[in-house]
Amino acid sequence: NFSRVTEFILLGLSNTTELQVVFFTFFFLVYAMVLLGNLLIIVTVRTDPKLSSPMYFLLCNLSFLDICCTSVISPRMLVDLFSQKKVIAFEDCIAQLFFLHFVGASEMFLLAVMAFDRYAAICKPLRYPAIMSRQMCWVLVFACWAGGFLHSIVQTLLTIQLPFCGPNTVDNYFCDVPPVIRLACTDIYVTEWLMASNSGLICLVCFLLLVTSYTFILVTIRVRFTEGHWKALSTCASHVMAVTLFFTPCIFIYLHPFSTFPSDKHVCVIYTVFSPALNPLIYTLRNNEVKASMWKLWERCKV
């Protein structure tokens, strides 16, 4: 009497009509800010020859990943807020899961590369042009995408091989590995630990690499402090703020086995919605070169 689930029902963030209206307004504005802010960064970096250093090349790629990450989640979430029954087809659920982990893991690797770039620029200034050449930047970005794809393929294959015969209610506003695999009609103990060791260790290792890079940077700045190093410290401080907002909830969600907490779906909002929205503010408001280039772009557009 085996019957395969053909669709899932998403419970969303709330069933209260008043809250759904508030959530829609808020998340719509945040999504618009993500799109406009990150697109503005991409256009600014691509049109200003002065922003041709590896840091801005990587920042441009980060903005593109932020757009992709939030676009996997936000449009459907906004539509579902006004749907009586938040239904998603099995194939669409798996596709959302795949692209979320693909883009999310790629962004984690890219943030680690950005930290290495700052380490090379501050701690190895004489060798920096050779270390972070244009060719090396392309290789590192490609490696980030390839690593994200490989991670996502593993997560997706481990999910679709499970039998789903009911129930089909996902306690979240999008399809993710932890809430979906708990609906499988089989013992998922081994699968849980395989996925936790995959996603959780990627989050933890990338975060530790980031912390290590910034620790070396802080030690270097403390030993030979100059005005240029003060500017570097300010840039690194904004990077630390961004990666903390992104990695902390990810580690909380994916590192422990999937006996999830009721608040998990609210924690997910931080890295799926807030972090992509804050990145443009963090990387532009604390960077005079980007702000100056944006102002020049605005002046050209007015003419």
Side-chain angles (χ1 to χ4, degrees):
N1 294 329
F2 176 80
S3 59
R4 185 173 180 84
V5 168
T6 59
E7 63 184 22
F8 291 107
I9 299 174
L10 303 173
L11 294 184
L13 291 172
S14 174
N15 291 324
T16 307
T17 304
E18 291 78 8
L19 280 178
Q20 288 178 343
V21 174
V22 173
F23 285 154
F24 178 86
T25 304
F26 178 74
F27 288 125
F28 177 80
L29 293 175
V30 171
Y31 183 51
M33 186 169 66
V34 171
L35 294 181
L36 294 176
N38 285 291
L39 282 174
L40 180 59
I41 290 177
I42 293 173
V43 172
T44 302
V45 172
R46 297 292 294 175
T47 56
D48 192 339
K50 294 182 180 179
L51 303 180
S52 58
S53 67
M55 182 179 75
Y56 296 114
F57 173 75
L58 297 174
L59 176 59
C60 189
N61 281 273
L62 177 65
S63 294
F64 178 72
L65 285 172
D66 278 336
I67 292 174
C68 294
C69 182
T70 193
S71 295
V72 173
I73 303 296
S74 294
R76 185 172 191 97
M77 178 182 66
L78 292 172
V79 172
D80 284 344
L81 283 171
F82 288 113
S83 302
Q84 292 294 328
K85 193 175 182 182
K86 304 171 179 60
V87 178
I88 182 171
F90 180 85
E91 293 79 9
D92 294 340
C93 181
I94 297 301
Q96 188 180 57
L97 183 153
F98 169 80
F99 285 109
L100 175 66
H101 280 266
F102 178 26
V103 177
S106 299
E107 183 163 344
M108 289 183 187
F109 296 137
L110 183 64
L111 287 170
V113 170
M114 292 178 72
F116 173 75
D117 170 72
R118 291 300 83 206
Y119 163 78
I122 297 170
C123 301
K124 309 287 184 182
L126 298 179
R127 297 178 56 195
Y128 178 69
I131 295 174
M132 294 299 293
S133 63
R134 175 63 66 168
Q135 182 180 3
M136 178 56 67
C137 287
W138 278 108
V139 170
L140 290 173
V141 169
F142 176 78
C144 292
W145 283 91
F149 179 79
L150 181 61
H151 159 76
S152 186
I153 280 291
V154 172
Q155 296 289 89
T156 305
L157 291 177
L158 286 173
T159 301
I160 62 176
Q161 56 86 28
L162 296 172
F164 294 94
C165 52
N168 66 337
T169 302
V170 178
D171 188 14
N172 212 325
Y173 59 94
F174 66 99
C175 285
D176 198 6
V177 172
V180 170
I181 68 170
R182 289 204 311 273
L183 303 177
C185 306
T186 186
D187 181 17
I188 58 171
Y189 179 81
V190 176
T191 305
E192 282 182 334
W193 279 103
L194 286 173
M195 291 185 170
S197 62
N198 187 348
S199 296
L201 284 181
I202 285 177
C203 298
L204 185 61
V205 170
C206 287
F207 184 69
L208 291 177
L209 288 174
L210 286 159
V211 172
T212 302
S213 296
Y214 290 123
T215 300
F216 278 114
I217 290 172
L218 290 175
V219 170
T220 301
I221 291 175
R222 184 177 63 85
V223 172
R224 54 176 194 270
F225 193 83
T226 64
E227 184 179 350
H229 284 125
W230 173 256
K231 179 181 177 182
L233 180 61
S234 177
T235 301
C236 290
S238 65
H239 291 191
V240 171
M241 188 185 306
V243 301
T244 301
L245 285 172
F246 185 71
F247 278 95
T248 303
C250 289
I251 292 173
F252 173 78
I253 293 292
Y254 296 113
L255 190 58
H256 64 76
F258 298 145
S259 54
T260 57
F261 305 104
S263 61
D264 278 6
K265 62 183 178 182
H266 301 100
V267 175
C268 291
V269 174
I270 299 175
Y271 69 87
T272 59
V273 178
F274 288 149
S275 183
L278 291 175
N279 277 348
L281 299 177
I282 291 172
Y283 284 101
T284 56
L285 293 181
R286 299 184 60 87
N287 191 310
N288 292 328
E289 290 179 331
V290 176
K291 287 190 291 185
S293 297
M294 287 182 176
W295 181 253
K296 292 178 183 178
L297 180 65
W298 170 252
E299 291 295 329
R300 290 201 300 268
C301 291
K302 287 199 301 183
V303 175

